[in-house]
């Protein structure tokens, strides 16, 4: 009988190595968490059974149990996910963390029930088998707790280090509160939920990529020029547009950046972008470009088309969260005494001059986003009949939707009398030309001004910013641009 148990354990191990079974499947891992923490009791039971003549060759049985235990321990900690189609290494680690965390939670629950039944006499046959062996009980309890605790730490670490959806602040809060009893149960459930959401999201994204492989879905007739908003630059190691340009390029798009100044005025930035477009036309041997502009970049582009007479070189202008009617936030900022406003602006100018701005003018560039300025700008800057204009907006669900824009969103809501906004621009202000869509998910969070450029490199439930831009560019291609 002991030899039979050894060969059963070896057979299970071999089948898993060969990929015929998966010991980390739903039911197998449930059984693992039921029996593995009790390996001391199982080996002791084999020894006791041998002494009473119940089990032949008890040493073989114990050896088989220990062999399978060692293999499963390595499997759980290092290789919880063996084969997953459409997985990057990060997602594979994250999915493993979700599985391991689930194992530890189920393990703690089942072992708690086991010891309650054991010490209340409901497992009397087992109790009789170990009568007079309190040391074995003690060792087994210590082993069970250590076994499950290490698995728990592994699962938490995997998720905390690889889950983009958590963000820095939430990571810190979770780490600080994971040691509080009962609260940590809710936090572990939250970690598992976020890991599951991100894994599903990434696998869906991979499926989309596979479905449109080699389709050149975003291969527009004219190259794309992406213009950033105020207060940012097109930096080499921190792309303003996050993961979006890479995905567009993967699907056939030719992407360039405006490289205009962070705190340049509309007039100065438009002149800079004009020269950039002329360079692109020469390099690509084409007649026109498509401009995709975010925030103030849309105003720079409109000035470029109308006042610098670039309507024959621009096929389309797509503005995203551009304050065409101005931003009500300036109504509040304009209440700051002018002397203090200029002092603060000069500090911004000094900082951005060091990272590439040649003529930063924070004071005037920011003032150009006021509703009054934009009214005058719109009157003086009509659309060109030869350019296709379209626009998109987004709205936050509440002021806590995005921690970076909580205060601006609150001020915007007060100044605009509760109009839906993305933290910096109201939905109405973002509409220009053919208004296509307001982006928001069906959940309370909503979509912020920063979310529309993948600022945090995070994925949100109900909204995929990367796929959103793929769809926008695909539409441009289908329209002949």
């Amino acid at each position: 009988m002991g030899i039979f148990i050894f060969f059963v354990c070896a057979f299970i191990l071999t089948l898993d190595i060969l990929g015929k079974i998966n010991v980390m499947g739903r039911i197998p891992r449930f059984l693992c968490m039921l029996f593995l923490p009790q390996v001391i009791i199982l080996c002791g039971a084999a020894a006791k059974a041998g002494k009473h003549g119940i089990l032949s060759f008890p040493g073989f049985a114990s050896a088989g149990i220990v062999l399978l235990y060692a293999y499963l321990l390595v499997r759980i900690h290092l290789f919880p996910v063996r084969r997953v189609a459409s997985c990057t290494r990060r997602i594979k680690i994250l999915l493993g963390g979700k599985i391991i965390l689930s194992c530890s939670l189920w393990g703690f629950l089942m072992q708690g029930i086991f010891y309650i039944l054991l010490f209340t006499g409901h497992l009397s046959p087992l109790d009789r088998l170990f009568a007079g062996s309190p040391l074995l009980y003690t060792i087994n309890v210590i082993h069970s707790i250590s076994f499950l605790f290490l698995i728990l730490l592994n699962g938490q670490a995997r998720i905390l280090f690889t889950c983009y959806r958590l963000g820095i602040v939430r990571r810190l809060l979770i780490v600080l509160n994971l040691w509080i009893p009962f609260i940590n149960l809710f936090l572990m459930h939250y970690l598992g939920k976020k890991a599951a959401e991100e894994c599903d999201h990434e696998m869906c994204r991979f499926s989309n990529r596979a479905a449109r492989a080699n389709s050149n879905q975003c291969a527009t007739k004219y190259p794309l020029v992406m213009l950033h908003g105020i207060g940012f630059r097109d930096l080499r190691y921190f792309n303003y547009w996050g993961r979006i340009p890479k995905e567009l390029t993967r699907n056939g798009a030719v992407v360039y950046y405006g490289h205009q100044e962070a705190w340049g005025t509309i007039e100065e930035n438009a002149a800079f972008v004009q020269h950039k477009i002329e360079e692109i036309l020469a390099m690509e041997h084409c007649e026109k470009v498509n401009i995709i502009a975010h925030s103030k970049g849309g105003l720079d582009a409109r000035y470029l088309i109308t006042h610098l007479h670039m309507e024959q070189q621009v096929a389309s202008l797509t503005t995203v969260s551009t304050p065409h009617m101005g931003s009500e936030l300036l109504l509040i900022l304009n209440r700051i005494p002018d002397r203090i406003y200029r002092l603060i602006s000069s500090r911004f100018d000094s900082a951005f001059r060091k990272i590439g701005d040649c003529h930063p003018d924070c004071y005037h560039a920011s003032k150009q986003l006021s509703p009054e300025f934009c009214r005058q700008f719109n009157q003086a800057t009509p659309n060109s009949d030869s350019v296709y204009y379209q626009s998109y907006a987004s709205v936050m669900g509440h002021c806590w939707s995005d921690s970076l824009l909580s205060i601006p969103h609150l001020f915007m809501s007060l100044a605009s009398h509760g109009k839906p906004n993305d933290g910096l621009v109201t939905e109405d202000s973002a509409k220009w030309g053919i208004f296509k869509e307001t982006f928001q998910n069906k959940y309370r969070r909503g979509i912020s001004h920063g979310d529309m450029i993948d600022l945090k490199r995070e994925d949100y439930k109900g909204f995929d910013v990367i796929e959103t831009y793929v769809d926008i560019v695909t539409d441009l291609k289908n329209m002949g641009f």
Side-chain angles (χ1 to χ4, degrees), residues 89-373:
R89 184 176 180 81
R90 180 182 70 85
I91 294 302
K92 191 174 180 180
I93 294 172
L94 182 61
L95 182 58
K98 170 187 170 293
I99 292 172
I100 293 173
L101 195 62
S102 173
C103 286
S104 66
L105 293 176
W106 278 111
F108 276 115
L109 176 62
M110 288 186 291
Q111 297 312 310
I113 295 173
F114 172 82
Y115 283 112
I116 290 173
L117 294 176
L118 183 64
F119 291 119
T120 55
H122 289 82
L123 299 178
S124 52
L126 188 61
D127 192 49
R128 284 197 301 271
L129 183 63
F130 287 95
S133 303
L135 179 60
L136 198 60
Y137 276 135
T138 304
I139 294 173
N140 192 74
V141 169
I142 294 173
H143 168 265
S144 297
I145 294 174
S146 302
F147 176 87
L148 294 172
F149 187 69
L150 288 174
I151 291 178
L152 180 66
L153 286 179
N154 188 354
Q156 291 173 351
R158 282 170 174 262
I159 296 174
L160 286 171
F161 282 108
T162 60
C163 186
Y164 288 164
R165 295 195 176 204
L166 291 176
I168 297 175
V169 176
R170 276 177 286 181
R171 277 186 174 86
L172 291 175
L173 290 175
I174 289 171
V175 170
L176 292 174
N177 292 282
L178 270 176
W179 316 105
I180 303 175
F182 299 111
I183 291 179
N184 54 12
L185 295 177
F186 292 101
L187 292 177
M188 285 184 281
H189 172 73
Y190 177 78
L191 282 175
K193 180 182 177 182
K194 286 297 177 184
E197 288 176 359
E198 185 160 347
C199 288
D200 290 343
H201 190 101
E202 288 293 331
M203 290 177 187
C204 180
R205 180 175 291 163
F206 184 90
S207 299
N208 290 337
R209 287 174 181 170
R212 59 177 180 245
N214 303 318
S215 67
N216 286 329
Q217 184 173 324
C218 296
T220 52
K221 181 179 179 180
Y222 305 114
L224 303 177
V225 180
M226 306 187 79
L227 304 184
H228 64 69
I230 196 168
F232 288 87
R233 289 192 60 86
D234 292 314
L235 300 177
R236 180 177 181 182
Y237 297 107
F238 184 81
N239 195 305
Y240 178 84
W241 299 88
R243 299 164 292 175
I244 296 164
K246 186 176 181 180
E247 188 69 20
L248 295 178
T249 304
R250 182 184 285 116
N251 287 281
V254 177
V255 178
Y256 288 92
Y257 303 104
H259 290 293
Q260 72 270 35
E261 297 198 348
W263 293 102
T265 61
I266 292 174
E267 297 82 2
E268 290 173 342
N269 279 353
F272 192 94
V273 174
Q274 179 184 27
H275 294 303
K276 187 66 181 178
I277 290 176
E278 289 171 350
E279 292 177 6
I280 294 169
L281 296 178
M283 286 188 292
E284 294 294 330
H285 304 289
C286 57
E287 300 174 351
K288 298 183 178 183
V289 298
N290 294 305
I291 296 178
I292 298 179
H294 177 253
S295 196
K296 177 179 171 289
L299 301 181
D300 297 342
R302 286 178 52 204
Y303 186 93
L304 162 83
I305 294 168
T306 303
H307 296 286
L308 300 185
H309 310 293
M310 292 288 287
E311 62 271 14
Q312 299 305 317
Q313 287 77 38
V314 178
S316 69
L317 170 61
T318 301
T319 61
V320 181
S321 303
T322 293
H324 295 286
M325 309 301 169
S327 173
E328 282 78 357
L329 187 61
L330 268 296
L331 298 178
I332 295 175
L333 295 179
N334 284 338
R335 295 180 182 179
I336 299 174
D338 191 67
R339 182 177 178 182
I340 297 176
Y341 200 119
R342 288 182 181 275
L343 177 63
I344 296 172
S345 298
S346 67
R347 296 292 183 266
F348 276 98
D349 292 343
S350 299
F352 277 84
R353 192 174 285 111
K354 295 177 182 178
I355 62 172
D357 272 20
C358 296
H359 307 288
D361 190 351
C362 176
Y363 180 84
H364 290 99
S366 59
K367 293 285 186 179
Q368 288 180 332
L369 300 179
S370 68
E372 178 57 34
F373 177 89

